[in-house]
Amino acid sequence: MEQSSAIPILSTTNENLPISIAPTVNSVITKGNKRRKKNNKQKQAVVENLTPEESMRKTQRQQRFLKDQVEIAKQRIYTSMETKPSRVLNVEGDLDLEAMTIKGTCQKVEKEYLRLTSPPHPSTVRPENILRKALDLIQTKWKDGSCDYIYACSQLKSIRQDCTVQRLKNAFTVKVYESHARIALQSGDINEFNQCQTQLHELYEEAIPGEAIEFLAYRILYCIYVGLQAKKADSNTGTLGMYNVLCLLSPQLRQDKVVAHALHVREAVALNDYHQFFNLHSEAPNMSGYLMNAMVTTVRLRALRIMCKAYRPHLCLNFIKREFRIRGLEGRRFIKECGILLVNDKTGEKKLVDTKNSEIVSVLSDQSSLI
């Protein structure tokens, strides 16, 4: 019978190895272990025989080596950061403040507002101490009348931008937005005012001190304004905002003079009580009158339509002027453009309104709807 020519399979143990191979493998393993033990003993002996000076030099060499490794790692991090594209907008198209947060170093007090199209550099952003000087300068110029609204608005928006990119949220930030809101009201810029008061609402919710009650009243008046400007198809515009504001009012807040005045204005507008509205307009506290100025034309036109239905056939023009507080050039322009038809009275002067044939307009020629 022929012998098998199969090659024996090697394993990690020596049991299955051929007798001629097993001693060789054992000798190799034994020599490797002996060599490692010998090297460890030699290293230990060298360390034990080092003098203190040699040991110190060895430690210093190790520290230099570690320092070099740290510098190399830092360089790799910086290189990877530089190769990444800078982000300004997030996936939703809004400013990515996390990626843009910086600490400004610019010492320039006045700076024109420019919309960001790339991440701002610290050298172009003013720190808080410079921003305080800039705000004081703008407030002084505005009070003195040495600057117009376009300049003041640009400077204030620039201050707001520097606060935003540095993520400043403190009492100074509130002061900036409050100042800009008041100047915008004085200039009749309702849209800019709304931007400021919206941001102020968020800051007040974070318990940052400011004139929260005053601007709560302004917010009520703004919601009234939005409701008056809304088109018929959007008659609920402003209602949701008003509902949210009313939910914030506690019994104590309702007793506040400024808030109570705003609530009375809301009631007068809702009831079409133009007589009460103009009485409240003449008694407006703080800067509430500026917001009510934006409502005056709409309230007058609504009241005229009611009058033309309630009074027939004629209505005295002087009565309308007295009720609507119509005076001066602005009053004459309103009478001319509102759509009333004037007829002669007994003296032959056109001082009577033909309520039947008058066609009251919805808006004046220079008045545009907000919505």
Side-chain angles (χ1 to χ4, degrees), residues 8 18 301 313 370:
L301 293 175
L370 176 70

Side-chain angles (χ1 to χ4, degrees), residues 136-193:
D136 292 339
L137 178 63
I138 298 304
Q139 289 178 328
T140 301
K141 285 188 174 183
W142 181 257
K143 291 178 181 178
D144 296 342
S146 57
C147 69
D148 57 9
Y149 176 68
I150 296 177
Y151 168 82
C153 184
S154 175
Q155 294 295 317
L156 288 168
K157 290 183 74 171
S158 178
I159 295 174
R160 286 164 48 188
Q161 185 183 75
D162 287 352
C163 289
T164 301
V165 298
Q166 295 179 99
R167 304 186 72 184
L168 295 178
K169 289 187 177 182
N170 51 28
F172 170 72
T173 311
V174 170
K175 185 179 179 181
V176 171
Y177 280 97
E178 288 178 347
S179 299
H180 196 176
R182 293 189 179 100
I183 292 176
L185 280 180
Q186 290 176 313
S187 304
D189 191 349
I190 303 299
N191 290 331
E192 197 67 45
F193 162 79

Side-chain angles (χ1 to χ4, degrees), residues 206-237:
E206 297 182 14
I208 301 176
E211 301 297 334
I213 297 179
E214 176 188 351
F215 278 86
L216 177 61
Y218 296 159
R219 191 177 173 196
I220 295 173
L221 294 175
Y222 177 78
C223 291
I224 300 171
Y225 167 76
V226 172
L228 286 173
Q229 295 295 310
K231 298 177 182 178
K232 291 183 178 180
D234 300 322
S235 58
N236 290 328
T237 302

Side-chain angles (χ1 to χ4, degrees), residues 80-139:
S80 63
M81 290 175 63
E82 291 175 357
T83 56
K84 291 182 180 179
S86 299
R87 295 183 300 157
V88 180
L89 303 179
N90 56 23
V91 293
E92 297 177 353
D94 299 326
L95 286 176
D96 191 345
L97 301 181
E98 292 288 347
M100 296 171 56
T101 302
I102 59 174
K103 182 67 175 179
T105 60
C106 178
Q107 300 298 307
K108 188 177 180 181
V109 177
E110 295 179 90
K111 191 181 76 170
E112 185 180 0
Y113 170 75
L114 295 173
R115 187 172 183 178
L116 290 176
T117 57
S118 61
H121 193 274
S123 62
T124 63
V125 179
R126 294 164 292 183
E128 184 175 342
N129 62 321
I130 302 299
L131 292 176
R132 290 180 180 274
K133 295 179 181 179
L135 180 61
D136 292 339
L137 178 63
I138 298 304
Q139 289 178 328

Side-chain angles (χ1 to χ4, degrees), residues 273-279 300 303 307 311 317-326:
D273 188 350
Y274 54 86
H275 181 80
Q276 179 67 6
F277 175 86
F278 286 104
N279 285 339
R300 284 173 176 170
M307 286 180 171
Y311 296 90
L317 180 61
N318 289 332
F319 172 75
I320 295 176
K321 289 182 177 180
R322 185 169 59 252
E323 285 293 316
F324 293 171
R325 310 293 201 274
I326 294 177

Side-chain angles (χ1 to χ4, degrees), residues 229 297 301 330 333-334 337 361 363-369:
Q229 295 295 310
T297 300
L301 293 175
E330 184 269 339
R333 187 181 65 83
F334 175 82
E337 298 180 3
V361 299
V363 294
L364 297 185
S365 57
D366 65 338
Q367 184 185 12
S368 59
S369 176

